[in-house]
Amino acid sequence: MSIGRTNAKIKMQQDYKPKNIEAVAQESWKRKLSFRAEDQSDKPKYYCLSMFPYPSGKLHMGHVRNYTIGDVLSRYHRMKGFNVMQPMGWDAFGLPAENAALANNVPPAAWTYSNIDAMRTQLQSLGLGIDWSRELTTCKPDYYRWEQWLFTRLFQKGLIYKKTSSVNWDPVDNTVLANEQVINGCGWRSGALVEKRDIPMYFMRITQYAEELLADLDQLEGWPEQVKTMQSNWIGKSYGCEVYFPYDAESVGTTGVLKVYTTRPDTLMGATYVAVAAEHLLATQAAASNPKLAEFIAECKRGGTAEADMATMEKKGMSTGLFVTHPINGELLPVWIANYVLMGYGEGAVMAVPAHDERDFEFAKKYNLPIKQVIERDEIVIAKKTKSERATFADDQNEVTDQAVDHHRDLMEAALVNKFTADYWQEWYGEKELRMCVNSGKYDGLDFQQAFDAISADLQAKGFGQKRTQFRLRDWGISRQRYWGCPIPIIHCAQCGDIPVPDDQLPVILPEQVTITGAGSPLAKMPEFYETSCPQCGGAAKRETDTMDTFFESSWYYARYTSPGCTTGMVDERAQYWLPVDQYVGGIEHAILHLLYARFFNKLMRDVGLFGETTFSTSTQVTGEQALQSKSFNEPFTNLLTQGMVIAPTFFREGAAGKKLWINPAEVDIETDSRGRPVGAKLRSDGQPVVIGGTEKMSKSKNNGVDPQIIIDQYGADTARFFIIFAAPPEQTLEWSDAGVEGAFRFLRRVWNFAYSNKKEIDVCHSRSKNESDESFLKSMNDEQREIYREMHVVLKQANFDLQRLQFNTVASACMKILKALEQQMVTGTPGVTTKSIAITNGFSILLRLLSPIAPHITQTLWQELGYGDDILSAPWPEVDEAALIQDEIELMIQVNGKLRGKLRVAKDADQTTLKQLAVTYPSVEKLLAGQAAKKIIVVPGRLINVVT
RNA sequence: GCCGGGAUGGCGGAAUUGGUAGACGCGCCGGACUCAAAAUCCGGUGCUGGUAACAGUGUGAGGGUUCGAGUCCCUCUCCCGGCACCA
């Protein structure tokens, strides 16, 4: 069956039946290849990408929201005249497939592929304008062979290297656990106490790109500020100093230095001890002869590797009995082992200045270590001086008043009484501004920067340190001791070492028929997989059995979509047409890791020469300008929209032993009082009360998920899409509401009904000559028509603005406003074709086009049914007729002292004097003035007049 | 703990730059239609007082800047996201 002309002959359905019209519309898009993106076009390109889903098997509301937002953007840009590409694919490797394999005894591959099929069907029923010819699946060799290829290139360039690193080790299941699988320090399945274990892993030198990743954030004007801030903080560039503390030969037994990094060298004179991580060389050495220390180190190694746990646990430490000497004053400082010092960060050792660091302070108080104040507020230092001495400190910026001196005298007295209590300490520890050194010998009186420079210089002169820039960002560990991931293309040869798999032997294919036991990787138990020969010497060798972090796949899929079917590389020349992505849409939870890794990969691929004739050496930093000149590009995503979560109410009953039994909202009836406030809830099946819980992220564990498929089956995809767009702006959390969904459906039905009952008049109107861009169109209208026409365009102007700033909920509102105004016109307007139909025909065409990105099926159908055209997809986007917006009279607010007291209609070009006169003689203003003259009258043109008394 | 974000009627949210707080929708109340109900349509709806006109009050809490603050500044509370092996 075909739609369009054939269908137009059939009488229009009276009732809105989404099931029928959605199937017809989707079939038509499929047949006409409506969403096939052209690799060559006269139109400007628009690459709109939504984060691809992990194929869990069932579409959830978060997906629906993500892809609806992307589809609205895609369809809007298409109508604006862009060559749009909106692809879709599957982030198919990952832990859940292995968990499912354990639970259901299905191989991860089979489970994944059947999930993909199920989810593709669901996605298609949403009516998304996707170019399915570009679909990709990351667990297929034709995809992952190219990341193996990239791996070997980066390995050869030294951008991937091997080192040992800590993982969560489950000693009962003898397996490595993900952070997610560690619950309260125990393995999720075995319940065993998890410990840290050091194993060799491959790392990517993302730190080599830290400077560029940080600097290029400035180029990302289309990114939310908060995401850039988070990334910037994550990279964490800091300026500091390396300090070497020479070993005390007597206690340590050898010579050497303890290396630390500090951002506060100005406080070096206040260092009273040093602390090292449990894995530090000095710790190991001290523990050799001290069983108690060895026990403490073992304790530190218990528990997982998650940073949040490290940061919140109780600070514990133990003295090693070893000493180092202070590099400037030569004092002996004790060496402590502390559980809050991380081996993987910095040097695995810190200098402790308890007077000026919160953690050191807490630790020193706990273990009675000395606290030496070396920084003081300027004012207090000054207050301690005589009046004449003070004069030399006072300047225009920092005048020392007697009041300030008194205030700080009080503080000083408080200090004597409360010395080093946490409250008082808060008063002076942190900020670097307006502070100077005290108790620091020759550095006394220096401010932060002066002391920083002087102490660094002295350290350097003595060979005990130097200034250093440091990044918080660590190199990216990419090895996973798991099965369901991309095999790392390395061969271990006893003679030749670690050899990358040669290109002609790629891909290293992951065997799909395996048994998952939950203990260790199946690959390590498959000789047919790991037994191989060395590509270099030909001798027997062993293939690497670790797989890659799944972030690897998601870091370059955006590029692969540009080159579907490419068998010659990761991408081909089509990438240069489509990249960078114009609009990326996805959850805020990816603000740091995924988005940082994808930015990193973009730079790697650029530097490997995939995006043009660039030949950057990886050892030099590339500026944005250089890259732009070379026709390449630095950043993968020009604009970023971070969408909020979908949340829903929760309901539960207390089960045995206080265990909560969560009840799905669909099974609950809510009781309200006369005002509509909820007072209770009952389970429909037994009529007994349930407890109303909080409103939380839709999840299996809280049983508050709403299945999108049920909504689509019941109301249609257009209703689901409309509700999701209408209920909240894209970046905010969206609260699910069944009543709201019904409201969305009611609205679409009203649109349908309006079309049905006005079809005749609109048809008649089409036969008359008219052109909305024609100036005479506006002039030909009578006042009534012009007013409704103006109303349409006021709403349209706001809607077009809202679309540009990605606030789609108010675009949905605008559609409702237009329909309301048109319905109103039907009731109150003068009957007859000449007075109503022109305005209605024009207004309804605006409504259909404005609504079409949100609810594409109903609008496509009505566009044809009412004879506006064959295909709304190729209709031009409605633009505002500015001439229609001009009004002769405007309404001004009248305020007295900023408080609204009335409204006034005035000519739009009334002058200020007239307006002021009108305001003071306005009855309620006159009354409030009570005969007094106004002190001041503020006129805000076009808005208000404020009379100040 | 650290980094980032949020809080506006009974509910979701609107208010472009400091200038009419509550658009639009849900819910609730009243009315029409109906034998009745549902659906639909019309009207009302921040809170307090008042028959009403109107007045007071109101954007998480407390303070500040301003003729004027939901919006800017300071302090605080609660909630959410991320923290490097969930994706």
Side-chain angles (χ1 to χ4, degrees), chain A residues 199-217:
Chain A
I199 58 166
M201 305 213 294
Y202 289 98
F203 280 78
M204 290 186 90
R205 275 191 218 282
I206 191 171
T207 51
Q208 191 164 317
Y209 283 73
E211 197 78 60
E212 198 195 343
L213 286 166
L214 181 66
D216 285 358
L217 287 173

Side-chain angles (χ1 to χ4, degrees), chain A residues 69-89:
Chain A
I69 291 167
D71 202 41
V72 168
L73 280 159
S74 294
R75 289 171 178 271
Y76 168 63
H77 280 86
R78 183 193 167 105
M79 290 172 77
K80 288 284 257 185
F82 288 84
N83 176 31
V84 173
M85 191 236 294
Q86 183 175 224
M88 186 54 70

